[in-house]
Structure formats: C-alpha cells, structure tokens
Amino acid sequence: MPKAQPRAWQRMLSGRRLDLLDPTPVDIEIEDIAHGLAFVARWNGQTKGDFAYSVAEHSLLVTDIFARQNPSAPVKWHLAALLHDAPEYVIGDMISPVKAAVGPGYGALDDRLTAAIHLRFGLPAQIPLAVKKQIKKADKLSAWLEAIQIAGFTQTEADKFFGKQDPALIRTLAIKLRAPVEVRDDYTARYHALSKTL
C-alpha cells in the first residue's frame, strides 16, 4: 500500500486552506497575514521587553524607512515593503544561521509564497531588482536598529552584520514593543491605507 503524502496545507483563521507546495492567490487574505505576523517573533524571541518584537512590527518599520528613503516611490512599492516578509505568516521567521542550515528548500518555499502573495494584492509576482534592493536597504536599517535597541548587539556587531547606517535616520527611529493585537490592527490598517491609493 502506498504511503500517504504528508499534509502540506494549513487552515487559516479566515477559513482559507493554503497549500504550501502550491500556494494560490485566492487562498491568501490580509487579515491572516496580519494576524500571523503579529504573533511571529523576530530574533527567535531573544529580545528585551515585555512583548516579543513581531515580524508585523518590523514590517511596519521597514515600510516607514522605505518611505523616508524613497519618498517619490509609487505606492505599490510601499505595499511591497509592507509585504516583504509576508510569507513568514505561515513559515515563521528563521534567523539567517537557521536558513543556512535548512538549505535551498526554505528559499524556494519563500519564493512560491511571495509570488502568490504579490499576485493576490496586485503586485507583480517578482518585483523589479532595483525596488527589491531599496526594500532590502530599509530592511537592513531596521535590523540594525533592532539589533542595537532590543537584541543586545553592540554597534560594532551591528555594523559588521548589517552595515553602517545613516546617523540622521538612526536618531529619529525607535523600536516599539506592543501587544500583538495592536500591531495586527496597525498592519491591517496600513495595508488598507496603501491599497486605497493604488
């Protein structure tokens, strides 16, 4: 008798059933993404404070930084910044050393989910490389701030792993630690604000 295939889908709170091996845009809802990301801790939860620093909070910060660094960018790229870690609502946030240990399978899964998420929200499956680099630049500044302010890194360590950052921006940005429900609601509200102007 052939061995049954392992289950590769997840039931979402919206009722959607997302197939991780073959994700489709129709099974993706912003409320599921916002809820999931608000409860996924960055830095494997190894941060200071009374609340975990969530991927949703990080995504909001990256979107703010992207807007400051690229004030004339089209709204769709601000939305791409907000969604840059959206696949983690299903696959979690793995720190870079764990991703390296898992190997290329993680990247392929992330790419499939990203493409489906982008298509669901009116973005191209793959965003242009130049835009991806701009978002990555904002992401690195966010990681630098998180490392220094809540993850126990020295500035020398943060500079080594995330690159030296613009002092003018650093002085004006602070990490927030909030209850997951509050972050979830802000993430959802930011999505709706951006999507109205697409």
Side-chain angles (χ1 to χ4, degrees), residues 61-181:
L61 180 58
V62 168
T63 307
D64 290 341
I65 294 169
F66 178 83
R68 291 181 187 207
Q69 292 175 334
N70 306 280
S72 60
V75 173
K76 64 182 177 179
W77 303 141
H78 293 256
L79 179 57
L82 182 68
L83 296 170
H84 81 281
D85 279 339
E88 294 177 10
Y89 87 108
V90 219
I91 57 178
D93 179 40
M94 286 194 202
I95 59 173
S96 296
V98 175
K99 288 179 186 175
V102 170
Y106 178 89
L109 177 57
D110 187 273
D111 290 344
R112 283 195 301 273
L113 285 164
T114 297
I117 290 164
H118 283 175
L119 292 173
R120 169 65 178 88
F121 299 114
L123 298 171
Q126 293 185 353
I127 61 173
L129 186 58
V131 175
K132 202 169 183 176
K133 285 181 177 177
Q134 291 169 334
I135 294 170
K136 189 64 183 172
K137 183 179 177 185
D139 191 32
K140 281 194 168 189
L141 174 50
S142 179
W144 190 98
L145 288 164
E146 294 162 27
I148 295 285
Q149 293 183 19
I150 59 171
F153 283 55
T154 65
Q155 183 169 336
T156 302
E157 289 170 328
D159 288 347
K160 177 182 175 183
F161 294 114
F162 308 110
K164 292 191 177 190
Q165 301 298 328
D166 178 0
L169 270 177
I170 292 166
R171 282 192 296 273
T172 61
L173 295 166
I175 299 300
K176 298 176 190 173
L177 294 171
R178 302 183 289 163
V181 173

Side-chain angles (χ1 to χ4, degrees), residues 11-17 32:
R11 174 85 57 197
M12 299 296 163
L13 287 178
S14 65
R16 299 288 188 188
R17 193 170 102 163
D32 292 331

Side-chain angles (χ1 to χ4, degrees), residues 1-7:
M1 186 171 180
K3 191 176 180 180
Q5 290 288 340
R7 179 172 65 92

